[in-house]
Amino acid sequence: MTPLPPGSTIGILGGGQLGRMLASAAAQLGYRTHVLAPDSESVAAQTASSLTRADYHNRIVLADFAAQCDVVTYEFENIDVAPVEWLAARVPVHPSPASLKIAQERVGEKRFVEQVGGTPARWAAVATRQELDDAIASVGTPAVLKTTRMGYDGKGQVRLQAPDDADAAWDAIQGPAVLEAFVDFTHEFSIVLVRDVDGRMVSYPPPWNEHHDAILSRSTLPAPAEIAQHWTQAAALTGRIADALGHVGVLTCEFFATPDGPVFNEMAPRVHNSGHWTIEGAVTSQFENHIRAICGLPLGDTALTAAQVEMENLIGDDWERWPDVLAEPGAHLHLYGKREARAGRKMGHVTRLRR
Ligand code: AMP
């Protein structure tokens, strides 16, 4: 692919903090960014060159957006695939709608990952209350019942300790779901990989990801031995997933580390919260590498810039600690410009480097 020259316009579907950080990385490389998002408060628009505030389904808006952009990307996967496919027929869209479709629906995602040699937790598809009983019989308990679509940060999932929890779990989820065996993991980690238009790939060292209430709270590098031993295998699987999809841009796979090997949890066809540490902690950030990949530029070095790197999410009221963070040597503060700090809302993050 001929590289897109600086000054070209990158369209971003979605108005959240991932779009905000993508737009900053794009600006550094001399690109313009155009955000399309329906939200009344778009924190991506604060750093982008322009914003269209509109519904993703408005064809007049989409046609205008396609005409103004040289390439289009998306910053979240809970977007309808139809407008993305419509755009892809008119302007290059990276990652392609194929990656989006697979990541949006847990049953297809697990089947696909099994086909390329990955191992998810034992699972069964559940369409009705009766099927939940069958699934409990085959998967066992403890288990997690997850909606097949639109789940994130622990939303759309409920834990079953015993078969007796089936009624309550079904009442909470009420729809197409997947029952997953509860994985007795030692650690959680992720592989953030970037693939360019010609199929070249680089990936970052895996962080140890700690969650609180199913929301990422901390990523730490280098990861402990329980994760490091699975690095090669997990990175190879992520690479096979990216190749099979013809993925262009960042692809993130989340894993559970167990003594029996890495267990695949889920994938995101985009930059990821567990890669925020790369802004200061890696030679090239995940955001810059995503922009490089979708614009046909060479991919950048993913090595660590410090002996130890830690990323802490600032969730809800945590952001009020910003003066203390600024006083810390070696701490880098990122606030996302959101007006309202609701419980569980990601308001910013801190990256700490130890040399
Ligand atoms: P998810 O949104 O599916 O990534 O789930 C959010 C978090 O819930 C994960 O990062 C885990 O901490 C936990 N979790 C989800 N699924 C499982 C599972 N099958 N076994 C154990 N923990 C899980």
Side-chain angles (χ1 to χ4, degrees), residues 13 56-57 59 62 74 76-89 93 95-105 149-150 269:
L13 299 169
Y56 298 117
H57 293 275
R59 287 280 160 88
L62 284 180
Y74 44 89
F76 74 127
E77 66 271 29
N78 289 334
I79 181 172
D80 238 342
V81 85
V84 183
E85 283 178 333
W86 195 89
L87 283 171
V93 174
S96 80
S99 293
L100 188 60
K101 270 190 192 164
I102 285 288
Q104 278 183 342
E105 202 278 322
R149 290 181 178 273
M150 304 295 271

Side-chain angles (χ1 to χ4, degrees), residues 106 121 144 146 151-155 157 159 180-185 188 211 214-215 254 256 265-266:
R106 289 190 196 271
V144 190
K146 300 182 178 178
Y152 69 99
D153 284 350
K155 295 186 177 67
Q157 59 177 271
R159 199 85 75 91
E180 278 179 31
F182 192 79
V183 179
D184 188 16
F185 57 81
E188 293 186 73
H211 293 77
I215 302 176
E254 292 181 81
F256 301 118
N265 177 20
E266 62 179 6

Side-chain angles (χ1 to χ4, degrees), residues 103-110 120-128 132 135-136 139 142-160 166 168-183 185 188 211 214 254-256 263-267:
Q104 278 183 342
E105 202 278 322
R106 289 190 196 271
V107 172
E109 179 186 73
K110 287 181 196 299
R122 219 166 44 249
W123 66 279
V126 177
T128 62
L132 178 55
I136 292 172
V139 168
V144 190
L145 187 67
K146 300 182 178 178
T147 54
T148 56
R149 290 181 178 273
M150 304 295 271
Y152 69 99
D153 284 350
K155 295 186 177 67
Q157 59 177 271
V158 48
R159 199 85 75 91
L160 287 85
W170 185 250
D171 282 351
I173 297 291
Q174 287 287 343
V178 171
L179 187 73
E180 278 179 31
F182 192 79
V183 179
F185 57 81
E188 293 186 73
H211 293 77
E254 292 181 81
F255 294 92
F256 301 118
V263 174
F264 172 88
N265 177 20
E266 62 179 6
M267 62 188 252

Side-chain angles (χ1 to χ4, degrees), residues 5-336:
S8 304
T9 300
I10 300 168
I12 301 175
L13 299 169
Q17 65 267 16
L18 300 177
R20 176 187 181 90
M21 290 183 269
L22 280 171
S24 297
Q28 186 193 325
L29 295 176
Y31 294 108
R32 296 177 52 79
T33 45
H34 186 152
V35 167
L36 172 59
D39 332 25
S40 57
E41 180 193 54
S42 164
V43 296
Q46 294 170 6
T47 61
S49 320
S50 48
L51 166 72
T52 300
R53 188 184 160 196
D55 190 77
Y56 298 117
H57 293 275
N58 183 326
R59 287 280 160 88
I60 296 166
V61 167
L62 284 180
D64 188 45
F65 182 68
Q68 291 185 50
C69 297
D70 298 292
V71 64
V72 169
T73 192
Y74 44 89
E75 61 108 51
F76 74 127
E77 66 271 29
N78 289 334
I79 181 172
D80 238 342
V81 85
V84 183
E85 283 178 333
W86 195 89
L87 283 171
R90 287 155 181 86
V91 60
V93 174
H94 298 307
S96 80
S99 293
L100 188 60
K101 270 190 192 164
I102 285 288
Q104 278 183 342
E105 202 278 322
R106 289 190 196 271
V107 172
E109 179 186 73
K110 287 181 196 299
R111 285 203 183 114
F112 173 76
V113 166
E114 285 172 341
Q115 275 163 18
V116 294
T119 311
R122 219 166 44 249
W123 66 279
V126 177
T128 62
R129 172 67 186 79
Q130 170 59 40
E131 282 184 16
L132 178 55
D133 288 338
D134 302 341
I136 292 172
S138 70
V139 168
T141 52
V144 190
L145 187 67
K146 300 182 178 178
T147 54
T148 56
R149 290 181 178 273
M150 304 295 271
Y152 69 99
D153 284 350
K155 295 186 177 67
Q157 59 177 271
V158 48
R159 199 85 75 91
L160 287 85
Q161 291 302 343
D164 282 354
D165 294 337
D167 279 333
W170 185 250
D171 282 351
I173 297 291
Q174 287 287 343
V178 171
L179 187 73
E180 278 179 31
F182 192 79
V183 179
D184 188 16
F185 57 81
T186 61
H187 296 79
E188 293 186 73
F189 69 100
S190 51
I191 298 288
V192 177
L193 176 141
V194 203
R195 185 175 181 278
D196 75 9
V197 183
D198 299 316
R200 281 182 293 260
M201 292 187 266
V202 294
S203 67
Y204 291 90
W208 169 25
N209 298 326
E210 295 173 88
H211 293 77
H212 190 252
D213 293 336
I215 302 176
L216 183 68
S217 64
R218 191 181 303 270
S219 293
T220 312
L221 295 108
E226 292 90 334
I227 291 171
Q229 65 178 339
H230 301 314
W231 178 359
T232 310
Q233 196 182 339
L237 172 64
T238 309
R240 289 198 301 280
I241 294 172
D243 272 339
L245 292 169
H247 189 91
V248 175
V250 169
L251 173 73
T252 306
C253 287
E254 292 181 81
F255 294 92
F256 301 118
T258 76
D260 300 330
V263 174
F264 172 88
N265 177 20
E266 62 179 6
M267 62 188 252
R270 53 165 171 82
V271 287
H272 196 261
N273 194 172
S274 66
H276 289 1
W277 64 271
T278 61
I279 297 176
E280 294 90 8
V283 176
T284 316
S285 79
Q286 63 165 349
F287 301 100
E288 179 174 337
N289 257 337
H290 183 79
I291 298 296
R292 286 181 181 225
I294 67 172
C295 292
L297 308 178
L299 301 180
D301 188 357
T302 55
L304 295 182
T305 57
Q308 289 180 317
V309 183
E310 176 197 277
M311 188 283 312
E312 180 200 357
N313 263 343
L314 300 176
I315 294 171
D317 293 341
D318 290 347
W319 78 277
E320 291 171 8
R321 287 197 273 114
W322 64 266
D324 302 335
V325 174
L326 288 175
E328 264 183 63
H332 297 269
L333 177 69
H334 295 255
L335 294 176
Y336 303 150

